[in-house]
Amino acid sequence: MRKSLLPIAFLLLVLAVQPGLAQEVEGGKMRQAAQMHADSLRAQVDQLQTTLSETAGRVVRLEDELGRTSARCSALSREDDALWSSLDSLRRSHAALADTQRSDSESVNSRIDSTDSRVEAGEASLADRTAWGMAAVAAIVVAVVALSVILSRRIRRGTSTIDEVRKAQQALGAAQTRMQEESVKLDSKLLDIAARQMEAAAPAAGADIDHSLALKVADEVVRIELNLSRMDQSIRGYKQLSKAVQRIKDNFAANGYEIVEMLGKPYDEGMKVTANFVPDETLEQGAQVITGITKPQVNYNGRMIQAAQITVSQNI
């Protein structure tokens, strides 16, 4: 009797244990699937963190580009203010010169009046062109800022691509080129007015020489030369402006004036200049080079009538 009951008891034991074993096997499969899902999520998180870091880097670079563009716009605005200041000074100099020469012959007065009319017409034209130029610069700046804001928002959303960043850089470069072209146009007009002012201011025989107009024109010529040294020669109007600068310098030479060339040359402690020194680790050890000119040295008939004010980059 007991022997006949043993198979039945064993069968009942197997039936009782089987659900537990099935649950344990099923639980192992679920844990394995959960582990695989967690690994997949961890890989996705790592990839998102990498993408976020790259996007943040692109945002920083775009902000740097925007900062440089804003700085250039501010510099152009200051240059425009300086241009108007120079024009006012030239106008006052011309008026003073006209007062001192009223006793000259009628032919000289007629020539000065004619020249003054041409200068006033040139100034009016320059004012119109300056207004249009500033409007164009303002429009370019607004477009650049809007483009930068749009791209920054896209980058923050993680939807920006390398192509979009490249297009933004190209747009910023194009804006900078247009601003440089406007600057070249304004400088060309200023040199044209300066040339006519110098022609009108030619002193009569035996009259005392006033160098103030020549010195102001020399300051503008050196400023323009410095700007040209920092521009790409492919900028529209670059060659014409360079030729205009050379014509002014030739006119100076014909009237006994000399603008001493200093830009890019080594600095010598024996020079009679006012120097501002700035560090530059890109230069060779011990080198001192003239990298900026606020006022040039001007000689008249071999005698210095204005000492230079310069910036010297050095690595000492």
Side-chain angles (χ1 to χ4, degrees), residues 210-230:
D210 182 6
H211 299 297
S212 59
L213 176 60
L215 294 178
K216 291 174 182 178
V217 173
D219 292 346
E220 292 300 321
V221 167
V222 170
R223 177 189 64 80
I224 293 171
E225 283 187 321
L226 183 60
N227 288 341
L228 287 174
S229 69
R230 296 170 179 171

Side-chain angles (χ1 to χ4, degrees), residues 67-210:
R68 286 192 290 270
T69 301
S70 299
R72 177 57 182 164
C73 291
S74 298
L76 283 176
S77 178
R78 290 193 295 272
E79 289 178 4
D80 184 67
D81 293 339
L83 173 63
W84 279 108
S85 177
S86 297
L87 287 176
D88 291 339
S89 178
L90 289 174
R91 191 183 298 113
R92 289 192 297 270
S93 298
H94 183 271
L97 181 62
D99 291 339
T100 61
Q101 292 181 340
R102 286 176 181 173
S103 60
D104 291 345
S105 64
E106 290 297 327
S107 60
V108 173
N109 287 331
S110 176
R111 182 166 60 88
I112 290 176
D113 291 339
S114 176
T115 302
D116 190 51
S117 298
R118 293 196 302 270
V119 169
E120 289 179 355
E123 289 177 351
S125 176
L126 177 60
D128 292 339
R129 294 188 180 184
T130 301
W132 282 107
M134 293 304 298
V137 170
I140 292 169
V141 171
V142 170
V144 171
V145 171
L147 180 61
S148 300
V149 170
I150 293 173
L151 290 176
S152 297
R153 289 178 179 175
R154 289 187 179 180
I155 290 175
R156 291 190 183 97
R157 296 189 188 117
T159 59
S160 179
T161 64
I162 295 177
D163 289 338
E164 290 174 336
V165 174
R166 185 180 296 111
K167 290 178 181 178
Q169 292 175 341
Q170 291 174 351
L172 290 173
Q176 184 178 5
T177 298
R178 286 193 290 272
M179 286 188 288
Q180 288 179 341
E181 290 176 352
E182 290 298 325
S183 176
V184 167
K185 290 179 181 178
L186 293 175
D187 287 338
S188 297
K189 194 63 181 178
L190 173 62
L191 287 181
D192 184 48
I193 293 174
R196 283 183 278 179
Q197 290 278 21
M198 289 185 64
E199 180 182 354
D208 293 335
I209 299 176
D210 182 6

